[in-house]
Amino acid sequence: MTTIMDRIDEHTHVPAERLVEAPPFPSSIKIEITSRCNFACSYCASKRQLRPQGDIDKAFLQRILREAKSVGVREIGMFLLGESLLVKELPEYVRYAKEQAGIEYVFITTNGSLATPERATALVDAGLDSLKFSINAGSRGRYKEMHGVDAFDKVLANIKWLYDFRKARNLEKPRISVSSIGMGKGFDETDKLREMVKPFVDDFYLLPLYNQGGHVGHGGAGIVGNPGRLENMVPPTPCWTIFNSSRITWNGRLTACSFDHDTRFEIADLNKVSLVEAWHNPKFVDLRKRHLSGDKEALRTSLCAKCLGLV
């Protein structure tokens, strides 16, 4: 069975034929259901609210899902920088993607605090293929400090409940996984966390301490760019995200970066142009050209300069 790590590596390790200025539209995209989040993690710039906050428009989402299917998209993640479970219509959106739009694989990443039995059951019944829990603190004490009383135990309880529920129903999906930050604060507790969740998840993997598009310094400990998962990182340039994946914000913008906290990376307004038109926008083509050149000066004057640690 294909693991979530396999899927990540498939996208981060870009085949040579896609490393061109105007590659075909990718088979995997992420759509931001909401930019809101109920956590304020120290390693994430979302808490600073540097861009407009809101939830996706239902009609726009349905249009994008249908259009995505028509251009060959097979995978859709219904999240980006916010906590999608804050949106009560999320199960409805998953069901539409699967049953109406015909998307093969729909996945979500959550901090887990709202993945209660009631909410998780609705997502399972809607046809969700994968649910990943992002748990980025290895001890109950640190999690409590970051997120509030008993947050760690509640998240673990939600994971265990979903595992037991899936087993009781004899279901193969959703696939359950956990990711955690594997560098910097909390690194020594990784093995402890892995052992805690191992009986209840299909996959566990680590992510580097990203600098979040240059927004979070981490005292110099951050990784530049977006090199994928920690155990199988790729070079920061050319960045895989601009060649092999696509991201759409809650208010309908195609963005070039997973960490577009301040709208800096917005490429085109999908309320006005198609997915393919946005993907081949001259602004996007120029950005890819700069990455392919390997020229530090070209990158230093690009949208990605801060993320790559060049300014």
Side-chain angles (χ1 to χ4, degrees):
M1 181 177 292
T2 303
T3 68
I4 190 171
M5 290 86 76
D6 294 331
R7 292 182 181 276
I8 292 171
D9 293 346
E10 178 184 346
H11 300 308
T12 58
H13 292 70
V14 184
E17 60 269 23
R18 292 196 63 86
L19 290 174
V20 294
E21 294 176 11
F25 196 83
S27 62
S28 178
I29 66 176
K30 289 182 180 177
I31 304 175
E32 185 175 55
I33 303 302
T34 181
S35 59
R36 298 180 293 125
C37 188
N38 60 328
F39 276 12
C41 301
S42 60
Y43 43 80
C44 180
S46 289
K47 62 181 178 293
R48 295 164 61 187
Q49 296 189 5
L50 300 174
R51 63 190 177 111
Q53 301 292 296
D55 300 346
I56 200 164
D57 175 74
K58 178 179 177 179
F60 171 79
L61 173 61
Q62 291 180 346
R63 188 212 104 196
I64 288 295
L65 290 171
R66 296 192 302 269
E67 186 177 345
K69 176 65 176 180
S70 74
V71 297
V73 172
R74 301 193 307 271
E75 299 180 4
I76 288 183
M78 289 195 170
F79 66 97
L80 189 58
L81 293 174
E83 172 52 57
S84 296
L85 282 163
L86 286 168
V87 179
K88 63 182 179 61
E89 296 89 355
L90 182 61
E92 175 189 347
Y93 296 163
V94 172
R95 187 181 299 277
Y96 186 93
K98 296 290 293 183
E99 297 181 1
Q100 302 298 316
I103 302 300
E104 296 175 22
Y105 187 85
V106 179
F107 60 105
I108 294 170
T109 288
T110 175
N111 60 41
S113 62
L114 302 176
T116 60
E118 180 182 4
R119 300 300 303 279
T121 299
L123 289 171
V124 173
D125 290 343
L128 186 68
D129 294 286
S130 173
L131 186 60
K132 188 195 81 171
F133 294 80
S134 177
I135 308 177
N136 296 314
S139 71
R140 286 175 173 82
R142 185 166 298 153
Y143 222 71
K144 179 179 178 180
E145 175 187 342
M146 294 170 66
H147 305 306
V149 177
D150 298 329
F152 187 81
D153 289 331
K154 289 179 180 178
V155 172
L156 289 184
N158 287 339
I159 294 172
K160 184 179 184 301
W161 183 90
L162 179 58
Y163 174 84
D164 290 339
F165 178 76
R166 190 184 68 175
K167 184 177 181 180
R169 282 197 175 188
N170 196 29
L171 300 174
E172 294 184 357
K173 64 180 188 178
R175 194 166 184 87
I176 306 169
S177 58
V178 165
S179 71
S180 185
I181 298 296
M183 293 184 67
K185 188 176 183 181
F187 180 70
D188 293 339
E189 296 161 342
T190 298
D191 289 340
K192 183 189 300 183
L193 175 61
R194 189 193 303 267
E195 290 306 308
M196 285 182 182
V197 302
K198 185 177 179 180
F200 313 112
V201 302
D202 302 299
D203 307 302
F204 180 96
Y205 66 97
L206 301 177
L207 295 171
L209 193 59
Y210 301 117
N211 69 20
Q212 297 258 322
H215 288 290
V216 185
H218 303 300
I223 297 292
V224 299
N226 185 349
R229 63 188 185 92
L230 185 63
E231 296 97 334
N232 197 10
M233 292 195 296
V234 296
T237 58
C239 181
W240 64 273
T241 63
I242 62 176
F243 294 92
N244 211 28
S245 186
S246 181
R247 285 143 178 80
I248 300 167
T249 65
W250 71 271
N251 55 348
R253 272 57 173 183
L254 181 75
T255 179
C257 186
S258 302
F259 305 121
D260 193 0
H261 290 286
D262 59 1
T263 74
R264 184 197 329 159
F265 295 93
E266 288 184 359
I267 298 295
D269 186 349
L270 293 169
N271 295 288
K272 300 177 180 178
V273 301
S274 70
L275 285 170
V276 173
E277 286 176 306
W279 182 250
H280 291 152
N281 184 288
K283 185 177 180 180
F284 219 169
V285 171
D286 177 71
L287 184 61
R288 296 190 192 103
K289 182 178 181 179
R290 289 169 184 258
H291 274 252
L292 290 170
S293 74
D295 184 345
K296 283 192 176 181
E297 187 56 37
L299 290 169
R300 188 176 288 111
T301 56
S302 74
L303 297 173
C304 304
K306 289 184 179 180
C307 186
L308 297 174
L310 297 176
V311 293

Coordinates of all heavy atoms in Angstrom, one line a residue, residues 64-122:
I64 N -13.7 24.9 -8.6 CA -12.2 24.5 -8.7 C -12.1 23.0 -8.7 O -11.2 22.4 -9.4 CB -11.5 25.1 -7.6 CG1 -11.3 26.6 -7.8 CG2 -10.1 24.5 -7.4 CD1 -10.5 27.0 -9.0
L65 N -12.9 22.3 -7.9 CA -12.8 20.8 -7.8 C -13.2 20.2 -9.2 O -12.5 19.3 -9.7 CB -13.7 20.3 -6.8 CG -13.3 20.6 -5.3 CD1 -14.5 20.2 -4.3 CD2 -12.0 19.8 -5.0
R66 N -14.2 20.7 -9.8 CA -14.6 20.2 -11.1 C -13.5 20.5 -12.2 O -13.1 19.7 -13.0 CB -15.9 20.8 -11.6 CG -17.1 20.4 -10.7 CD -18.4 20.8 -11.3 NE -18.5 22.2 -11.6 CZ -19.0 23.1 -10.8 NH1 -19.4 22.7 -9.6 NH2 -19.1 24.4 -11.2
E67 N -13.0 21.7 -12.1 CA -12.0 22.1 -13.1 C -10.7 21.3 -12.9 O -10.0 20.9 -13.8 CB -11.7 23.6 -12.9 CG -10.7 24.2 -14.0 CD -10.5 25.7 -13.8 OE1 -11.3 26.3 -13.1 OE2 -9.6 26.2 -14.4
A68 N -10.3 21.1 -11.6 CA -9.1 20.3 -11.3 C -9.2 18.9 -11.9 O -8.3 18.4 -12.5 CB -8.9 20.3 -9.8
K69 N -10.4 18.3 -11.7 CA -10.6 17.0 -12.3 C -10.4 17.0 -13.8 O -9.8 16.1 -14.4 CB -11.9 16.4 -11.9 CG -12.3 15.1 -12.5 CD -11.4 14.0 -12.0 CE -11.9 12.6 -12.6 NZ -11.0 11.5 -12.1
S70 N -10.9 18.0 -14.5 CA -10.9 18.1 -15.9 C -9.4 18.3 -16.5 O -9.2 18.0 -17.6 CB -11.7 19.3 -16.4 OG -11.1 20.6 -16.1
V71 N -8.5 18.8 -15.6 CA -7.1 19.0 -16.1 C -6.2 17.9 -15.5 O -5.0 18.0 -15.6 CB -6.6 20.4 -15.8 CG1 -7.4 21.4 -16.5 CG2 -6.6 20.6 -14.3
G72 N -6.8 16.8 -15.0 CA -6.0 15.7 -14.6 C -5.6 15.6 -13.2 O -4.7 14.7 -12.8
V73 N -6.1 16.4 -12.3 CA -5.7 16.3 -10.9 C -6.3 15.1 -10.3 O -7.5 14.8 -10.4 CB -6.2 17.6 -10.1 CG1 -6.1 17.4 -8.6 CG2 -5.5 18.8 -10.6
R74 N -5.5 14.3 -9.6 CA -5.9 13.1 -8.9 C -6.0 13.2 -7.4 O -6.7 12.5 -6.7 CB -4.9 12.0 -9.3 CG -4.8 11.7 -10.7 CD -4.0 10.3 -11.0 NE -2.8 10.3 -10.3 CZ -1.6 10.7 -10.8 NH1 -1.6 11.3 -12.0 NH2 -0.5 10.7 -10.1
E75 N -5.1 14.1 -6.8 CA -5.1 14.3 -5.4 C -5.4 15.7 -5.0 O -4.9 16.6 -5.6 CB -3.6 13.9 -4.9 CG -3.2 12.5 -5.1 CD -1.8 12.3 -4.6 OE1 -1.2 13.2 -3.9 OE2 -1.2 11.2 -4.8
I76 N -6.2 15.8 -3.9 CA -6.5 17.2 -3.4 C -6.4 17.1 -1.9 O -7.0 16.3 -1.2 CB -7.8 17.7 -3.8 CG1 -7.8 18.0 -5.3 CG2 -8.3 18.9 -3.0 CD1 -9.1 18.6 -5.8
G77 N -5.5 18.0 -1.3 CA -5.5 18.2 0.1 C -6.3 19.4 0.5 O -6.2 20.5 -0.1
M78 N -7.3 19.2 1.4 CA -8.2 20.3 1.8 C -7.6 21.0 3.0 O -8.2 21.0 4.1 CB -9.6 19.8 2.0 CG -10.2 19.3 0.7 SD -12.0 19.1 0.9 CE -12.5 18.9 -0.8
F79 N -6.5 21.7 2.8 CA -5.9 22.5 3.9 C -4.7 23.2 3.3 O -4.2 22.9 2.2 CB -5.4 21.6 5.0 CG -4.2 20.7 4.6 CD1 -2.9 21.0 4.8 CD2 -4.5 19.5 3.9 CE1 -1.9 20.2 4.4 CE2 -3.4 18.7 3.5 CZ -2.1 19.0 3.7
L80 N -4.2 24.2 4.0 CA -2.9 24.9 3.6 C -2.3 25.4 4.9 O -1.4 24.8 5.4 CB -3.2 26.0 2.6 CG -1.9 26.6 1.9 CD1 -1.1 25.5 1.3 CD2 -2.3 27.7 0.9
L81 N -2.7 26.6 5.3 CA -2.1 27.2 6.5 C -3.1 27.3 7.7 O -2.7 27.6 8.8 CB -1.6 28.6 6.2 CG -0.4 28.6 5.2 CD1 -0.1 30.1 4.8 CD2 0.8 27.9 5.8
G82 N -4.3 27.0 7.5 CA -5.3 27.0 8.5 C -5.7 25.6 9.0 O -5.2 24.6 8.6
E83 N -6.6 25.6 10.0 CA -7.1 24.3 10.6 C -8.5 24.1 9.9 O -9.5 24.7 10.3 CB -7.2 24.4 12.1 CG -8.0 23.3 12.7 CD -7.4 21.9 12.3 OE1 -6.2 21.7 12.5 OE2 -8.2 21.1 11.8
S84 N -8.5 23.2 9.0 CA -9.8 22.9 8.2 C -10.9 22.5 9.0 O -12.1 22.7 8.6 CB -9.5 21.9 7.1 OG -8.5 22.5 6.2
L85 N -10.7 21.8 10.1 CA -11.8 21.3 10.9 C -12.6 22.4 11.6 O -13.6 22.1 12.3 CB -11.3 20.3 11.9 CG -11.0 18.9 11.3 CD1 -10.1 18.0 12.2 CD2 -12.3 18.2 11.0
L86 N -12.1 23.6 11.5 CA -12.9 24.8 12.0 C -14.1 25.0 11.1 O -15.0 25.7 11.6 CB -12.0 26.0 12.1 CG -11.0 26.1 13.2 CD1 -10.0 27.3 12.9 CD2 -11.6 26.3 14.6
V87 N -14.1 24.5 9.9 CA -15.2 24.7 9.0 C -16.2 23.6 9.1 O -15.8 22.4 8.7 CB -14.6 24.9 7.6 CG1 -15.8 25.1 6.6 CG2 -13.6 26.0 7.5
K88 N -17.4 23.8 9.5 CA -18.4 22.8 9.7 C -18.8 22.0 8.4 O -19.2 20.9 8.4 CB -19.6 23.3 10.4 CG -20.4 24.4 9.6 CD -21.6 24.9 10.4 CE -22.4 25.9 9.7 NZ -23.0 25.5 8.4
E89 N -18.6 22.7 7.3 CA -19.0 22.1 6.0 C -17.9 21.2 5.4 O -18.1 20.6 4.3 CB -19.3 23.2 4.9 CG -20.4 24.1 5.3 CD -20.1 25.3 6.1 OE1 -18.9 25.4 6.5 OE2 -21.0 26.2 6.3
L90 N -16.8 21.0 6.1 CA -15.7 20.2 5.6 C -16.1 18.8 5.1 O -15.8 18.4 4.0 CB -14.6 20.1 6.7 CG -13.3 19.3 6.2 CD1 -12.7 20.0 5.0 CD2 -12.4 19.2 7.4
P91 N -16.9 18.0 5.9 CA -17.3 16.7 5.4 C -18.1 16.8 4.1 O -18.0 16.0 3.2 CB -18.2 16.2 6.5 CG -17.7 16.8 7.7 CD -17.4 18.2 7.3
E92 N -18.9 17.9 4.0 CA -19.7 18.1 2.7 C -18.7 18.4 1.6 O -18.9 17.9 0.4 CB -20.6 19.3 2.9 CG -21.4 19.7 1.6 CD -22.1 21.1 1.8 OE1 -22.2 21.5 2.9 OE2 -22.5 21.6 0.8
Y93 N -17.7 19.1 1.8 CA -16.7 19.4 0.8 C -15.9 18.1 0.3 O -15.7 17.9 -0.8 CB -15.7 20.5 1.2 CG -16.3 21.8 1.5 CD1 -15.7 22.8 2.3 CD2 -17.6 22.2 1.0 CE1 -16.2 24.0 2.5 CE2 -18.2 23.4 1.3 CZ -17.5 24.3 2.0 OH -18.0 25.6 2.3
V94 N -15.6 17.3 1.3 CA -14.9 16.1 1.0 C -15.8 15.2 0.1 O -15.4 14.6 -0.9 CB -14.5 15.3 2.3 CG1 -14.0 13.9 2.0 CG2 -13.4 16.1 3.0
R95 N -17.1 15.0 0.5 CA -18.0 14.2 -0.2 C -18.2 14.7 -1.6 O -18.2 13.9 -2.6 CB -19.4 14.2 0.5 CG -20.3 13.2 -0.1 CD -21.7 13.2 0.6 NE -21.5 12.8 2.0 CZ -21.4 11.5 2.5 NH1 -21.5 10.5 1.6 NH2 -21.3 11.3 3.7
Y96 N -18.3 16.0 -1.8 CA -18.4 16.6 -3.1 C -17.2 16.3 -4.0 O -17.3 15.9 -5.2 CB -18.6 18.1 -3.1 CG -18.9 18.7 -4.4 CD1 -20.2 18.9 -4.8 CD2 -17.9 19.1 -5.3 CE1 -20.5 19.4 -6.1 CE2 -18.2 19.7 -6.5 CZ -19.5 19.8 -6.9 OH -19.8 20.3 -8.2
A97 N -16.0 16.4 -3.4 CA -14.8 16.1 -4.1 C -14.7 14.7 -4.6 O -14.4 14.4 -5.8 CB -13.6 16.5 -3.3
K98 N -15.1 13.8 -3.7 CA -15.1 12.4 -4.1 C -16.2 11.9 -5.0 O -16.0 11.3 -6.0 CB -15.2 11.5 -2.8 CG -14.0 11.7 -1.8 CD -12.7 11.1 -2.4 CE -12.8 9.6 -2.5 NZ -11.5 9.0 -2.9
E99 N -17.4 12.3 -4.7 CA -18.6 11.8 -5.4 C -19.0 12.6 -6.6 O -19.5 12.0 -7.6 CB -19.8 11.6 -4.4 CG -19.5 10.6 -3.3 CD -20.7 10.5 -2.3 OE1 -21.7 11.1 -2.6 OE2 -20.5 9.7 -1.3
Q100 N -18.9 13.9 -6.5 CA -19.4 14.8 -7.6 C -18.2 15.1 -8.6 O -18.4 15.0 -9.8 CB -20.0 16.0 -7.0 CG -21.2 15.8 -6.1 CD -22.3 15.1 -6.8 OE1 -22.7 15.4 -7.9 NE2 -22.9 14.1 -6.1
A101 N -17.1 15.5 -8.0 CA -16.0 15.9 -8.9 C -15.2 14.7 -9.3 O -14.5 14.8 -10.3 CB -15.1 16.9 -8.1
G102 N -15.2 13.6 -8.6 CA -14.5 12.4 -9.0 C -13.0 12.4 -8.7 O -12.2 11.8 -9.4
I103 N -12.6 13.1 -7.6 CA -11.2 13.2 -7.2 C -10.8 11.8 -6.6 O -11.5 11.4 -5.7 CB -10.9 14.3 -6.3 CG1 -11.3 15.7 -6.9 CG2 -9.5 14.4 -5.9 CD1 -10.6 16.0 -8.2
E104 N -9.7 11.3 -7.0 CA -9.3 9.9 -6.5 C -8.9 9.9 -5.1 O -9.3 8.9 -4.4 CB -8.2 9.4 -7.4 CG -8.5 9.2 -8.9 CD -7.3 8.8 -9.7 OE1 -6.3 8.2 -9.0 OE2 -7.3 9.0 -10.9
Y105 N -8.2 10.9 -4.6 CA -7.6 10.8 -3.3 C -7.7 12.2 -2.7 O -7.2 13.2 -3.2 CB -6.1 10.5 -3.5 CG -5.4 10.2 -2.2 CD1 -5.4 9.0 -1.6 CD2 -4.6 11.2 -1.6 CE1 -4.7 8.7 -0.4 CE2 -3.9 11.0 -0.4 CZ -3.9 9.7 0.2 OH -3.2 9.5 1.3
V106 N -8.4 12.3 -1.5 CA -8.6 13.5 -0.8 C -8.0 13.3 0.6 O -8.3 12.4 1.3 CB -10.1 13.9 -0.7 CG1 -10.3 15.1 0.2 CG2 -10.7 14.0 -2.0
F107 N -7.2 14.3 1.0 CA -6.5 14.2 2.3 C -6.5 15.5 3.1 O -6.7 16.6 2.5 CB -5.0 13.7 2.1 CG -4.2 14.6 1.2 CD1 -3.2 15.5 1.8 CD2 -4.3 14.6 -0.2 CE1 -2.4 16.3 1.0 CE2 -3.5 15.5 -1.0 CZ -2.6 16.3 -0.4
I108 N -6.3 15.4 4.3 CA -6.3 16.5 5.2 C -5.2 16.4 6.3 O -4.9 15.3 6.7 CB -7.7 16.6 6.0 CG1 -8.8 16.9 5.0 CG2 -7.7 17.7 7.0 CD1 -10.2 16.8 5.6
T109 N -4.6 17.5 6.6 CA -3.7 17.6 7.8 C -4.4 18.5 8.8 O -5.0 19.5 8.5 CB -2.4 18.3 7.4 OG1 -1.6 17.4 6.6 CG2 -1.6 18.6 8.6
T110 N -4.4 18.0 10.1 CA -5.0 18.7 11.2 C -4.1 18.7 12.4 O -3.2 17.9 12.5 CB -6.3 18.0 11.5 OG1 -6.9 18.6 12.7 CG2 -6.1 16.5 11.8
N111 N -4.3 19.7 13.3 CA -3.6 19.7 14.5 C -4.2 18.7 15.5 O -3.7 18.4 16.6 CB -3.5 21.0 15.2 CG -4.8 21.7 15.5 OD1 -5.8 21.0 15.9 ND2 -4.9 23.0 15.2
G112 N -5.4 18.1 15.1 CA -6.0 17.1 15.9 C -6.9 17.4 17.0 O -7.7 16.6 17.5
S113 N -6.9 18.7 17.4 CA -7.7 19.1 18.6 C -9.2 19.0 18.3 O -10.0 18.9 19.3 CB -7.3 20.5 19.0 OG -7.6 21.5 17.9
L114 N -9.6 19.2 17.1 CA -11.0 19.2 16.7 C -11.4 17.9 16.0 O -12.6 17.8 15.6 CB -11.3 20.4 15.8 CG -11.0 21.8 16.4 CD1 -11.2 22.8 15.3 CD2 -11.8 22.0 17.6
A115 N -10.5 16.9 15.9 CA -10.9 15.7 15.3 C -11.6 14.7 16.2 O -11.1 13.6 16.5 CB -9.6 15.0 14.7
T116 N -12.7 15.2 16.8 CA -13.4 14.5 17.8 C -14.1 13.3 17.1 O -14.3 13.3 15.8 CB -14.5 15.4 18.4 OG1 -15.3 15.9 17.4 CG2 -13.8 16.6 19.1
P117 N -14.7 12.3 17.9 CA -15.4 11.2 17.2 C -16.5 11.7 16.3 O -16.6 11.1 15.2 CB -15.9 10.5 18.4 CG -14.9 10.7 19.5 CD -14.4 12.1 19.3
E118 N -17.2 12.7 16.7 CA -18.3 13.1 15.8 C -17.8 13.7 14.5 O -18.3 13.4 13.4 CB -19.1 14.2 16.5 CG -20.3 14.8 15.7 CD -21.0 15.9 16.4 OE1 -20.6 16.3 17.5 OE2 -22.0 16.4 15.9
R119 N -16.8 14.6 14.6 CA -16.2 15.2 13.3 C -15.5 14.1 12.5 O -15.6 14.1 11.3 CB -15.3 16.3 13.7 CG -15.9 17.4 14.5 CD -17.0 18.1 13.8 NE -16.6 18.6 12.5 CZ -16.0 19.8 12.3 NH1 -15.7 20.6 13.3 NH2 -15.7 20.2 11.1
A120 N -14.8 13.2 13.1 CA -14.0 12.2 12.4 C -15.0 11.2 11.7 O -14.7 10.8 10.6 CB -13.1 11.5 13.3
T121 N -16.1 10.9 12.4 CA -17.0 10.0 11.7 C -17.6 10.6 10.5 O -17.8 9.9 9.4 CB -18.2 9.7 12.7 OG1 -17.7 9.0 13.9 CG2 -19.2 8.7 12.1
A122 N -17.9 11.9 10.5 CA -18.5 12.5 9.3 C -17.5 12.5 8.2 O -17.9 12.4 7.0 CB -18.9 14.0 9.7

